[in-house]
Amino acid sequence: MTIQVITVPDLGGADAVDVIEVCVAPGDVVEVEQSLVVLETDKASMEIPSTHAGTIVSVKVNEGDSISEGSALVELEIEAAEQAAPAADIPEPVVEAPSAAAPAASEPAAAASAEQTVTVPDVGTDEDVDVIEICVAVGDTVSEGDSLIVLETDKASIEIPAPAGGKVLSLSVNEGDKIASGAAIAVLLVEGSAPAPESSAPVAQAEAPAAPQPKAAAPAAPAAIATPSNESTAESDDGAYAGPAVRKLARQMGVDLSKVKGGGPRGRLTKDDIRAYVTKAVDLATSGKVTGGSGIPAIPAVDFAKFGDVELVKMTKIQKITANNMSRNWLNVPHVTQFDDADITELETFRKGMKAEAEKRGVKLTPLPFLLKACAAALRYEPAFNVSMHSDGEHIVKKDYVNIGIAVATPAGLMVPVIRDVDKKGLWELAEESNAMAKKARDGKLMPMDMQGGCFSISSLGAMGGTGFTPIVNAPEVAILGVSKADIKPKWDGQEFQPRNMLPLCLSYDHRAINGADAGNFMTFLVSAIGDIRRLLL
Ligand code: COA
């Protein structure tokens, strides 16, 4: 018994190659040529086979590692007989970049520019393969290594790169054609240097050993050929039809391939599809648009001027931030809105009785400070409302302070200054502070800190009218109280209708954090506290 360390073989010059799959674990019994790991460059994925049969003692790499030639992959315990197997029998991986197709020594030196016919190299099968994509057009200038066409066998798609930089003079294939190794693809006008050999030239190398099989490519040979990069495009677990290079880009950009629509032939995903998806997502996140992305159909642009006079008004910064926040909150928070009416007949009698004193103090006593006080008590009574969802998606943050934001309409847009420790303040203090905050907001003097740290918000449209609305939760808060215009309504007292001053309340909440029963309790408490403000003393 001997321990053999199996290392990364010659990768044809590629270094820092990603490990995308580890196929074995300690204790596994492996055969010669059984895949140990799958590596991926930006052009190809390759399986590294075991050079011996034996039992895996330890695995030296993890998925996501970046490794180079010579890096240890596994320790293998091998039988004595196995040790005799010459390592040279084990084929070396060859993954050559397209540029590796150097001209054969026997080829004549080139003129300054020369025409070169590019042909299909040995793709490892004698059968015709499908041309699934033409990546260039006549007249295009290509660089060495740029993909000219993409072929597809039943197991893999293969990009055929330009063997040299130049201009595409003609193309001899069309999408949908079936072609075999040796068929002409295009004629290039190669400028400035000796033309590289036609891509069919390196076929002689097919006799070279070809161990690391391109993943999902049936024949072993193509990896040894200098030109094609082999992409596994067979559908994998995520159902996406994409090659390794596209998968790598998607991983780097954090894109879930199953969410991207393939724009290539037969729905094959291309790098452009990934980039377009990311661009759209970023645009959505930064613009505040609720259109496009996330599968939401975009609202088409309309030329309104066709229908009459229009004026284009630039949105203020606050309007843009508000738009963004509203979209974000509307799309992220599953809202429920509950409605009720609070009887504020007694409250209004009391408030009006305090008007003279309010004037003396220089404050305006509206229903708002009463609502602040009642909401603070309700948040203490029903602490499920005084929480935030933690951004890790695993926790709820419970708060032991009661800060309440008030929505203030200002000429620049909607602002929500926060009144701190509302539960510890009296009515006069709350009236003064809400008056001052509203003024500060309208004067454009709020500091960022004035608008942070809220636990709950109140949006009062009572001065404007309306019988109810559905306010949008100001996340990361989990609830908001909308207040509409109080009005005298008939209220049945058991014997007859009484004219009562009823205040419509609309409570929107985040149903991820708050259940309907909590909301029912909160609203019932609130309505009774507003209905009899002596309860706030309890
Ligand atoms: N029903 C009937 N009357 C009401 C009322 C209600 N729900 N709420 C306030 N009023 C009355 C007030 O008592 C006052 O009348 P009065 O002077 O006779 O006492 C009058 O309406 C004006 O009140 P206002 O100056 O607006 O003070 P407020 O304390 O009620 O509100 C703000 C202060 C800052 C909330 C308010 O000015 C504001 O900006 N509201 C808009 C909020 C908003 O845009 N929300 C939308 C979010 S999407």
Side-chain angles (χ1 to χ4, degrees), residues 116-128:
Q116 182 180 357
T117 303
V118 185
T119 58
V120 179
D122 181 358
V123 289
T125 173
D126 292 336
E127 292 182 5
D128 285 353

Side-chain angles (χ1 to χ4, degrees), residues 351 364 366-368 407-409 442 459-464 484 486 503:
R351 186 177 72 87
K364 195 172 175 195
T366 65
L368 185 63
V408 181
R442 290 187 182 115
S459 176
S460 174
L461 296 178
M464 293 111 187
S484 287
L503 178 71

Side-chain angles (χ1 to χ4, degrees), residues 428-494:
W428 291 123
E429 203 177 350
L430 291 173
E432 276 165 25
E433 219 174 304
S434 53
N435 287 182
M437 280 297 198
K439 183 172 184 319
K440 222 172 156 185
R442 290 187 182 115
D443 293 346
K445 297 211 167 111
L446 285 177
M447 302 303 286
M449 201 46 200
D450 292 331
M451 292 176 279
Q452 291 167 5
C455 307
F456 181 85
S457 292
I458 298 177
S459 176
S460 174
L461 296 178
M464 293 111 187
T467 55
F469 61 106
T470 54
I472 296 177
V473 171
N474 188 19
E477 296 166 18
V478 293
I480 181 169
L481 182 74
V483 184
S484 287
K485 188 175 171 54
D487 209 356
I488 305 294
K489 287 186 186 160
K491 190 93 194 280
W492 186 250
D493 69 1

Side-chain angles (χ1 to χ4, degrees), residues 205-231:
Q205 292 181 33
E207 282 166 22
Q213 299 185 353
K215 197 177 184 200
I225 308 304
T227 43
S229 65
N230 296 273
E231 289 200 344

